[in-house]
Amino acid sequence: GQNIDQPTEMTATEGAIVQINCTYQTSGFNGLFWYQQHAGEAPTFLSYNVLDGLEEKGRFSSFLSRSKGYSYLLLKELQMKDSASYLCAVMDSNYQLIWGAGTKLIIKP
Amino acid sequence: NAGVTQTPKFRVLKTGQSMTLLCAQDMNHEYMYWYRQDPGMGLRLIHYSVGEGTTAKGEVPDGYNVSRLKKQNFLLGLESAAPSQTSVYFCASSPLAGGHLETQYFGPGTRLLVL
């Protein structure tokens, strides 16, 4: 079956760095997405990786290793507004997004 | 430019009742999707559409029907609601250019409680 695994919850301190991991097993691979979802709100797009390596976008970076079925989202200089759930999703061979359950990130002052 | 809108925002149904959830987008997107989100689970695709007049089944289509009569609207119907359909429903849309690889833009969600 298809599976996306990510930690349920993580806690970090304001101003610090946090890495959220995602491992996947899917039928085919057409790219990996990261979305941010604040409580009670809609998911919003953060990043897309289809080739191995690191994609940097401001304070957020996303890494992909296709051979290991692994990605991570790196958040630097954490701010209180970064408290949210972070969703990892993989586009499978049928071009359907398979979603992880999300990682709830709690930022403490 | 409102983006993706959903109505209603919240609804309570009794088992066996029917209802329709409306999704509208003003971005001229070709692709539209209906997901459900349950605690401890990832978003699951119910149905999707790759253009006006087309629909296709996703991962969990049973108990739901959809229609895409106009490009900007995507309707999700529950003919006979069941408690298992208690969930948060999200509509999303994406442009045609990159196909399904395009970023999806989500609506604010509809919270449905079936008693």
Side-chain angles (χ1 to χ4, degrees):
Chain A
Q2 307 202 92
N3 198 46
I4 310 283
D5 284 319
Q6 47 182 135
T8 302
E9 187 174 296
M10 299 181 70
T11 302
T13 304
E14 190 177 15
I17 299 173
V18 70
Q19 177 175 311
I20 301 174
N21 296 326
C22 171
T23 58
Y24 62 89
Q25 287 181 305
T26 56
S27 55
F29 180 84
N30 282 300
L32 186 144
F33 294 78
W34 284 96
Y35 280 74
Q36 180 190 59
Q37 185 178 26
H38 284 99
E41 297 184 8
T44 55
F45 171 78
L46 286 177
S47 69
Y48 170 66
N49 294 69
V50 66
L51 300 176
D52 289 352
L54 189 68
E55 294 278 344
E56 296 187 79
K57 194 183 293 185
R59 293 189 298 114
F60 291 12
S61 302
S62 56
F63 172 84
L64 174 66
S65 169
R66 288 171 297 171
S67 63
K68 295 182 179 178
Y70 168 70
S71 172
Y72 67 72
L73 181 69
L74 192 71
L75 291 74
K76 303 176 185 176
E77 302 169 14
L78 286 170
Q79 302 174 10
M80 297 303 293
K81 67 178 182 179
D82 296 330
S83 292
S85 288
Y86 292 86
L87 314 180
C88 173
V90 172
M91 184 74 69
D92 71 8
S93 56
N94 293 319
Y95 292 95
Q96 289 193 7
L97 275 177
I98 309 301
W99 296 80
T103 298
K104 182 178 181 180
L105 179 63
I106 299 168
I107 310 296
K108 295 186 175 180
Chain B
N1 193 344
V4 181
T5 59
Q6 293 182 232
T7 52
K9 287 185 170 52
F10 179 71
R11 185 77 183 268
V12 179
L13 287 179
K14 294 181 179 179
T15 297
Q17 287 184 319
S18 63
M19 78 164 294
T20 299
L21 283 68
L22 171 63
C23 175
Q25 52 94 5
D26 61 2
M27 297 177 284
N28 201 35
H29 285 174
E30 288 292 334
Y31 293 2
M32 296 188 75
Y33 308 84
W34 274 109
Y35 291 95
R36 60 178 289 172
Q37 187 175 40
D38 300 295
M41 301 181 70
L43 288 159
R44 291 182 291 169
L45 183 65
I46 303 171
H47 286 281
Y48 65 98
S49 168
V50 299
E52 182 179 315
T54 74
T55 63
K57 294 180 180 180
E59 180 188 356
V60 289
D62 294 343
Y64 305 95
N65 57 74
V66 288
S67 64
R68 182 100 181 267
L69 298 180
K70 293 183 179 180
K71 185 177 182 178
Q72 63 268 35
N73 295 337
F74 195 28
L75 306 179
L76 178 71
L78 286 73
E79 290 186 348
S80 180
S84 61
Q85 294 179 303
T86 292
S87 188
V88 180
Y89 291 86
F90 285 102
C91 176
S93 71
S94 63
L96 174 63
H100 287 294
L101 297 178
E102 281 285 351
T103 299
Q104 294 184 17
Y105 297 83
F106 283 79
T110 295
R111 282 153 182 76
L112 177 65
L113 174 63
V114 183
L115 301 175

